[in-house]
Amino acid sequence: MTKTLLAQQPPSYYAAGIHEVIRVAEILAIGEALEQALALLQGGDVVAIPTETVYGLAADATNGIGVARIFEAKGRPRFNPLIAHVADMAMAERIAVFDPLSKKLAQAFWPGPLTLVLPQRPGNGIHPLVTAGLDTIALRMPRGFGGDLIAKLGRPLAAPSANSSGRISATTAQAVAADLGARIKLVVDGGATPVGLESTIVKAEGQGLRLLRPGGIAAEEIEAAIGMELLRGGGVGVEAPGMLASHYAPAAAMRLNAGAVGKDEALLGFGGQRAEGWRNAAAFLNLSVSGDLREAASNLFAYMQELDSSGARTIAVEKIPVDGLGEAINDRLARAAAPRDNARPTT
């Protein structure tokens, strides 16, 4: 008999007392958190904050101690750069040099889930740990609490996703606390993030723009805004956050485009057509019963976390279309399924 998990509920093992999560971080609602978050950032500490994409682990991007604490809390490879988040275009232009195409995109999509990789402006004050030694910087302008916090601080925030490095990105304050609660002091609770996927990342190259990472804004929307197709492929090395081959991974192994469900596998579904044997899955969640890619994107990380908590050794994933936001969803799933040495053991 398949156990259908409800994403808004904690995994069943909490109630059973099988596993205890020690939470040190304080969780405060947005309306109560601004001053405490600001004090931590000014003191060189980190704060987990909600954005429209996923929760971010933020530090003052000009403070080396704070940025180092991001890497420490996440266990993140030092060569993986971070996104710097800004409050407005004036702050962005003090940090980076904008070409006409990138400026056009900023005007069209900021604030929002778009990250632009741009040449750094000399003397911008950004700590080298943020850019991992690159001469470029990834910039984004978030909506809501993140933007307000940056404006109050007066300096950009480095803020990768608020999760252990390589693991599933957090889309609720509770998911952040369960993962990083023993390593950080404050999680700002803004509810479930509306987009549920990290930002789309693009970089100007010559007279065109290259898609480095699909994300919360579909490539087609960007192409419509600039009147040309995005370049794809051809990049060398890690040019921006989220480009490691293995990333966003649960402890369980992942199997994509599944037409059937194997023994002891959990199933991540999409739409109305089920994989063969789905009723016998160890656990089942459907990203979107109606086949809505935006709903699927919003649910992706939370549902992966829920299925991972079921104890299944493998999560089988039904086929998901690659058009629109499906491109970003499939990108995250491919990285989650990439070979790694830390999948859930078989014994």
Side-chain angles (χ1 to χ4, degrees):
M1 177 67 67
T2 299
K3 178 184 178 183
T4 300
L5 299 173
L6 300 178
Q8 68 268 27
Q9 295 179 348
S12 58
Y13 58 64
Y14 286 127
I18 296 172
H19 180 71
E20 181 181 1
V21 176
I22 300 173
R23 293 179 177 173
V24 175
E26 183 177 9
I27 301 177
L28 290 179
I30 282 178
E32 305 170 349
L34 184 61
E35 292 305 320
Q36 186 169 332
L38 186 64
L40 286 169
L41 294 171
Q42 290 172 330
D45 215 328
V46 297
V47 177
I49 63 171
T51 77
E52 66 270 57
T53 56
V54 298
Y55 274 72
L57 186 61
D60 180 348
T62 69
N63 185 318
I65 298 299
V67 176
R69 282 178 169 153
I70 291 177
F71 288 105
E72 181 182 25
K74 286 177 64 69
R76 185 183 181 98
R78 295 301 196 270
F79 54 79
N80 198 3
L82 308 176
I83 295 174
H85 295 70
V86 298
D88 51 40
M89 277 300 297
M91 181 180 288
E93 290 187 305
R94 291 195 295 269
I95 296 169
V97 179
F98 281 74
D99 59 276
L101 272 180
S102 295
K103 181 168 283 191
K104 186 174 183 179
L105 284 183
Q107 292 168 343
F109 295 107
W110 278 3
L114 175 70
T115 293
L116 300 170
V117 176
L118 301 160
Q120 290 201 66
R121 191 174 293 281
N124 62 14
I126 298 295
H127 194 275
L129 275 176
V130 175
T131 58
L134 299 174
D135 58 6
T136 55
I137 187 166
L139 289 185
R140 186 169 92 81
M141 187 188 298
R143 296 183 185 277
F145 180 84
D148 295 341
L149 183 60
I150 297 163
K152 188 80 170 176
L153 181 67
R155 295 185 293 278
L157 290 179
S161 56
N163 54 276
S164 297
S165 187
R167 293 301 188 186
I168 302 169
S169 300
T171 56
T172 66
Q174 291 69 32
V176 177
D179 185 359
L180 301 180
R183 303 178 221 168
I184 63 178
K185 297 175 183 176
L186 176 64
V187 181
V188 181
D189 189 354
T193 59
V195 176
L197 283 176
E198 295 84 0
S199 59
T200 302
I201 304 180
V202 298
K203 178 184 180 183
E205 292 187 2
Q207 300 302 307
L209 285 167
R210 185 173 301 280
L211 179 67
L212 297 182
R213 181 182 75 179
I217 296 177
E220 293 88 341
E221 294 182 66
I222 296 172
E223 290 170 338
I226 60 175
M228 66 176 72
E229 289 188 5
L230 289 170
L231 303 171
R232 296 165 186 265
V236 178
V238 176
E239 298 183 76
M243 294 184 68
L244 295 178
S246 177
H247 210 57
Y248 316 110
M254 298 280 290
R255 187 168 65 85
L256 308 185
N257 299 319
V261 182
K263 183 180 179 181
D264 297 327
E265 288 188 327
L267 178 64
L268 185 62
F270 177 79
Q273 298 296 316
R274 294 283 69 79
E276 183 180 345
W278 73 275
R279 293 184 184 279
N280 296 319
F284 168 72
L285 285 171
N286 194 330
L287 289 169
S288 174
V289 174
S290 65
D292 184 316
L293 288 169
R294 188 167 295 280
E295 180 185 16
S298 177
N299 288 331
L300 179 63
F301 291 131
Y303 283 19
M304 284 171 62
Q305 287 169 333
E306 288 293 335
L307 292 179
D308 197 32
S309 75
S310 72
R313 301 189 188 282
T314 302
I315 300 171
V317 184
E318 293 178 347
K319 187 173 182 178
I320 297 172
V322 296
D323 57 301
L325 287 179
E327 180 178 16
I329 295 170
N330 279 283
D331 172 82
R332 300 308 188 275
L333 288 170
R335 294 178 192 276
R340 59 189 194 274
D341 59 8
N342 58 345
R344 180 170 285 138
T346 57
T347 59

